[in-house]
PDB file of all heavy atoms in Angstrom:
ATOM      1  N   PRO A1386      -9.157  14.198   7.570  1.00 86.00           N
ATOM      2  CA  PRO A1386      -9.454  15.235   6.571  1.00 86.00           C
ATOM      3  C   PRO A1386      -9.625  14.600   5.191  1.00 86.00           C
ATOM      4  O   PRO A1386      -9.017  13.577   4.875  1.00 86.00           O
ATOM      5  CB  PRO A1386      -8.219  16.132   6.608  1.00 86.00           C
ATOM      6  CG  PRO A1386      -7.137  15.290   7.181  1.00 86.00           C
ATOM      7  CD  PRO A1386      -7.803  14.287   8.079  1.00 86.00           C
ATOM      8  N   THR A1387     -10.459  15.204   4.408  1.00 88.00           N
ATOM      9  CA  THR A1387     -10.656  14.718   3.037  1.00 88.00           C
ATOM     10  C   THR A1387     -10.127  15.759   2.072  1.00 88.00           C
ATOM     11  O   THR A1387     -10.289  16.964   2.279  1.00 88.00           O
ATOM     12  CB  THR A1387     -12.143  14.460   2.748  1.00 88.00           C
ATOM     13  OG1 THR A1387     -12.879  15.671   2.971  1.00 88.00           O
ATOM     14  CG2 THR A1387     -12.702  13.372   3.654  1.00 88.00           C
ATOM     15  N   ALA A1388      -9.480  15.286   1.041  1.00 86.00           N
ATOM     16  CA  ALA A1388      -8.943  16.178   0.013  1.00 86.00           C
ATOM     17  C   ALA A1388      -9.949  16.295  -1.118  1.00 86.00           C
ATOM     18  O   ALA A1388     -10.651  15.333  -1.450  1.00 86.00           O
ATOM     19  CB  ALA A1388      -7.624  15.637  -0.520  1.00 86.00           C
ATOM     20  N   ALA A1393     -10.550  15.582 -13.938  1.00 79.00           N
ATOM     21  CA  ALA A1393      -9.591  15.642 -15.045  1.00 79.00           C
ATOM     22  C   ALA A1393     -10.131  16.554 -16.145  1.00 79.00           C
ATOM     23  O   ALA A1393     -11.318  16.524 -16.468  1.00 79.00           O
ATOM     24  CB  ALA A1393      -9.332  14.254 -15.593  1.00 79.00           C
ATOM     25  N   LYS A1394      -9.233  17.350 -16.698  1.00 81.00           N
ATOM     26  CA  LYS A1394      -9.608  18.254 -17.793  1.00 81.00           C
ATOM     27  C   LYS A1394      -9.000  17.715 -19.074  1.00 81.00           C
ATOM     28  O   LYS A1394      -7.822  17.360 -19.098  1.00 81.00           O
ATOM     29  CB  LYS A1394      -9.091  19.661 -17.520  1.00 81.00           C
ATOM     30  CG  LYS A1394      -9.667  20.285 -16.277  1.00 81.00           C
ATOM     31  CD  LYS A1394      -9.046  21.637 -16.011  1.00 81.00           C
ATOM     32  CE  LYS A1394      -9.529  22.198 -14.694  1.00 81.00           C
ATOM     33  NZ  LYS A1394      -8.886  23.464 -14.368  1.00 81.00           N
ATOM     34  N   LEU A1403      -9.522  21.966 -33.297  1.00 93.00           N
ATOM     35  CA  LEU A1403      -9.197  23.394 -33.358  1.00 93.00           C
ATOM     36  C   LEU A1403      -7.731  23.622 -32.995  1.00 93.00           C
ATOM     37  O   LEU A1403      -7.036  24.411 -33.651  1.00 93.00           O
ATOM     38  CB  LEU A1403     -10.106  24.183 -32.413  1.00 93.00           C
ATOM     39  CG  LEU A1403      -9.853  25.680 -32.346  1.00 93.00           C
ATOM     40  CD1 LEU A1403     -10.053  26.332 -33.709  1.00 93.00           C
ATOM     41  CD2 LEU A1403     -10.760  26.315 -31.303  1.00 93.00           C
ATOM     42  N   PHE A1427       1.181  12.940 -22.921  1.00 83.00           N
ATOM     43  CA  PHE A1427       2.276  13.268 -22.016  1.00 83.00           C
ATOM     44  C   PHE A1427       1.903  14.446 -21.139  1.00 83.00           C
ATOM     45  O   PHE A1427       1.232  15.371 -21.586  1.00 83.00           O
ATOM     46  CB  PHE A1427       3.543  13.631 -22.791  1.00 83.00           C
ATOM     47  CG  PHE A1427       3.978  12.590 -23.771  1.00 83.00           C
ATOM     48  CD1 PHE A1427       4.298  12.929 -25.070  1.00 83.00           C
ATOM     49  CD2 PHE A1427       4.061  11.259 -23.405  1.00 83.00           C
ATOM     50  CE1 PHE A1427       4.703  11.971 -25.980  1.00 83.00           C
ATOM     51  CE2 PHE A1427       4.466  10.295 -24.307  1.00 83.00           C
ATOM     52  CZ  PHE A1427       4.786  10.653 -25.592  1.00 83.00           C
ATOM     53  N   GLY A1430       5.660  18.223 -17.800  1.00 85.00           N
ATOM     54  CA  GLY A1430       6.996  17.945 -17.284  1.00 85.00           C
ATOM     55  C   GLY A1430       7.638  16.738 -17.926  1.00 85.00           C
ATOM     56  O   GLY A1430       8.852  16.685 -18.112  1.00 85.00           O
ATOM     57  N   ASN A1445      10.561   4.126 -34.002  1.00 87.00           N
ATOM     58  CA  ASN A1445       9.593   5.217 -33.907  1.00 87.00           C
ATOM     59  C   ASN A1445       8.942   5.273 -32.534  1.00 87.00           C
ATOM     60  O   ASN A1445       7.717   5.278 -32.394  1.00 87.00           O
ATOM     61  CB  ASN A1445       8.531   5.112 -35.004  1.00 87.00           C
ATOM     62  CG  ASN A1445       9.120   5.303 -36.369  1.00 87.00           C
ATOM     63  OD1 ASN A1445       9.997   6.131 -36.570  1.00 87.00           O
ATOM     64  ND2 ASN A1445       8.654   4.522 -37.329  1.00 87.00           N
ATOM     65  N   SER A1448      10.672   7.240 -25.205  1.00 87.00           N
ATOM     66  CA  SER A1448      10.640   6.688 -23.849  1.00 87.00           C
ATOM     67  C   SER A1448      10.442   7.822 -22.856  1.00 87.00           C
ATOM     68  O   SER A1448      11.219   8.772 -22.813  1.00 87.00           O
ATOM     69  CB  SER A1448      11.949   5.962 -23.533  1.00 87.00           C
ATOM     70  OG  SER A1448      12.110   4.868 -24.395  1.00 87.00           O
ATOM     71  N   ASP A1453      10.405  16.661 -15.504  1.00 76.00           N
ATOM     72  CA  ASP A1453      11.012  17.897 -15.032  1.00 76.00           C
ATOM     73  C   ASP A1453      10.015  18.519 -14.052  1.00 76.00           C
ATOM     74  O   ASP A1453       9.035  19.107 -14.461  1.00 76.00           O
ATOM     75  CB  ASP A1453      11.289  18.830 -16.201  1.00 76.00           C
ATOM     76  CG  ASP A1453      12.017  20.091 -15.770  1.00 76.00           C
ATOM     77  OD1 ASP A1453      12.169  20.305 -14.565  1.00 76.00           O
ATOM     78  OD2 ASP A1453      12.442  20.851 -16.644  1.00 76.00           O
TER      79      ASP A1453
END
Side-chain angles (χ1 to χ4, degrees):
T1387 57
K1394 298 176 185 176
L1403 178 61
F1427 305 131
N1445 294 321
S1448 297
D1453 184 352

